[in-house]
Amino acid sequence: MEFVKPIVSIETIEALKAALKKHSARDYLLFVFAINTGLRISEMLKIEVSDIVENGNTPIRFLSIGKEEIFINDSIHHALHYYFSTSGTTGNQTYLFQSSRLEKPITRQQTYRILTQAAKEAGVEGTIGPHTLRKTFGYHAYHKGIAVSLIQKRFHHASPAETRKYIGIEKNEVIPKVDVNL
């Protein structure tokens, strides 16, 4: 297995979003969902439409995954609305990331192929796979001032040092300034 790094460039993230959106609303949603939640791909693929939608087609704001509550931010909300408006699948599918041929979710391997193809189309160099998305979430969360202890908890890591190493934060890198400025 190759070592993957987080996607640090916002331009690269946007290029990948565009490539995925051009291919399919489901694949675009998968990417947006992953980089905004930090969930493992195995956790994401189990999500059912009924877990994320209430009252017909209104996406929820918090998703329960095990004992964790996952915040559904505006980026995910917009991607969900785009997905449901373009595919019209809320009523006839079980899984959020369902295969187009089977009544099962896409596989981890299919996710890897989707991401690899999008990276190729977007001109992104290096290896990009499902784990890249999780690391991207952690990297950007850290740089936006989210405490490493909270990221560590999301990732179920044993120590902050493990989390920093995982998301590619060097020991001597400047800690983001959290300025409440009341």
Side-chain angles (χ1 to χ4, degrees), residues 66-158:
K67 295 179 182 178
E68 240 180 312
E69 289 287 312
I70 306 299
F71 178 62
I72 305 301
N73 68 15
D74 288 341
S75 294
I76 298 170
H77 244 252
H78 292 301
L80 282 164
H81 282 290
Y82 175 74
Y83 176 60
F84 291 133
S85 69
T86 59
S87 61
T89 56
T90 54
N92 62 355
Q93 79 177 58
T94 303
Y95 295 99
L96 189 59
F97 304 108
Q98 188 158 310
S99 167
S100 57
R101 295 186 315 251
L102 304 170
E103 290 188 24
K104 293 182 177 185
I106 60 174
T107 64
R108 181 178 176 81
Q109 293 79 10
Q110 180 64 20
T111 303
Y112 180 82
R113 285 191 292 272
I114 289 165
L115 295 171
T116 301
Q117 182 61 36
K120 185 177 176 183
E121 287 176 25
V124 177
E125 303 217 358
T127 304
I128 297 208
H131 230 59
T132 306
L133 308 182
R134 188 167 158 86
K135 289 182 176 193
T136 299
F137 164 81
Y139 178 89
H140 288 280
Y142 179 81
H143 281 281
K144 289 189 179 209
I146 304 297
V148 73
S149 60
L150 295 174
I151 302 167
Q152 172 192 344
K153 183 178 177 185
R154 171 67 53 91
F155 289 167
H156 306 285
H157 288 166

